Amino acid sequence: MNPIYCALDTTDADAALGLARRLAGLVGGVKLGLEFFVANGPAGVRAVAAAGLPLFLDLKFHDIPNTVAGAMKGAVALAPAMTTVHAGGGGEMMRAAVQSAGEAAARAGVRRPDILAVTVLTSIGPAELPAIGVGGTLLDQVKRLAAVAQEAGVDGIVCSPHEVEELRRLCGPGMKLVIPGIRPAWAATNDQKRVLGPAEAVAKGADILVIGRPITAAGDPAGAARRILDELEAA
Ligand code: C5P
């Protein structure tokens, strides 16, 4: 299975669809997030999905369980392969998300998307933890939230390159680990502070690699995706 999901971080639905078409066969899927969704809505998501690639719908739900359950029904109607919730919403919220997704998928006759939990955003550094009421280290908090997420029955965790080994140990082989912050040696790091090469990430236990600008900002996006895929196959 091709582990590369290309993050299409744009508000331009035509550009996203164009990229998705060019990347077909070279990536395992594409990721659309809040930036795209707020600008283009479900219709925009359907338009990009028409390129035929599996979809990671990264909407990071975080609300009371009833609201997340309702939102999840709408997300499942777009037939994503994966979607996200914030583990900080708690076990009950995550259980409601998994259950609602299962019911909606069964009704629609589609496969239930994998529900992934986001633990601590990588934009939050250790210095900020006390201000948001978190004691202990950042890794402690990531592990605590990952354990709550696993207990709630989610299928995977979105985690930084820093955390992947530790979470693989903690969660075991059945948990899908989805990793952004991936940079091939030849690509710019941009604003990512902790990066890992694609093959290294897979070696440390990553299942899915979320890669944006190394592909989307390349002069030849399909060529960049092919180069990453070749590196993975050679590893
Ligand atoms: O362009 P780049 O490869 O940095 O894009 C990474 C993608 O992964 C972006 O869509 C970004 O929002 C997302 N992401 C991240 N770090 C996280 C969670 C998601 O970079 N902790």
Side-chain angles (χ1 to χ4, degrees), residues 62-199:
H62 188 169
D63 210 313
I64 59 170
N66 186 58
T67 298
V68 167
M72 193 53 85
K73 285 185 193 142
V76 169
L78 298 170
M82 301 184 283
T83 186
T84 46
V85 297
H86 270 288
E92 196 191 329
M93 186 205 80
M94 287 186 277
R95 264 189 297 280
V98 173
Q99 187 182 339
S100 169
E103 289 167 3
R107 263 198 305 277
V110 297
R111 179 187 157 275
R112 173 170 77 71
D114 286 336
I115 310 296
L116 310 176
V118 175
T119 59
V120 181
L121 293 171
T122 43
S123 52
I124 293 180
E128 205 174 347
L129 291 181
I132 57 170
V134 176
T137 68
L138 208 143
L139 187 60
D140 286 341
Q141 180 67 357
V142 167
K143 286 162 68 177
R144 189 178 299 135
L145 288 171
V148 176
Q150 187 162 27
E151 172 66 29
V154 307
D155 307 285
I157 308 273
V158 181
C159 65
S160 87
H162 248 43
E163 298 148 5
V164 57
E165 269 180 308
E166 188 78 24
L167 288 186
R168 178 57 71 211
R169 260 196 302 276
L170 180 76
C171 300
M175 186 64 91
K176 190 168 271 191
L177 297 182
V178 177
I179 322 292
I182 300 296
R183 287 293 179 272
W186 42 267
T189 50
N190 312 111
D191 54 357
Q192 295 284 9
K193 294 192 178 66
R194 293 170 295 183
V195 300
L196 202 61

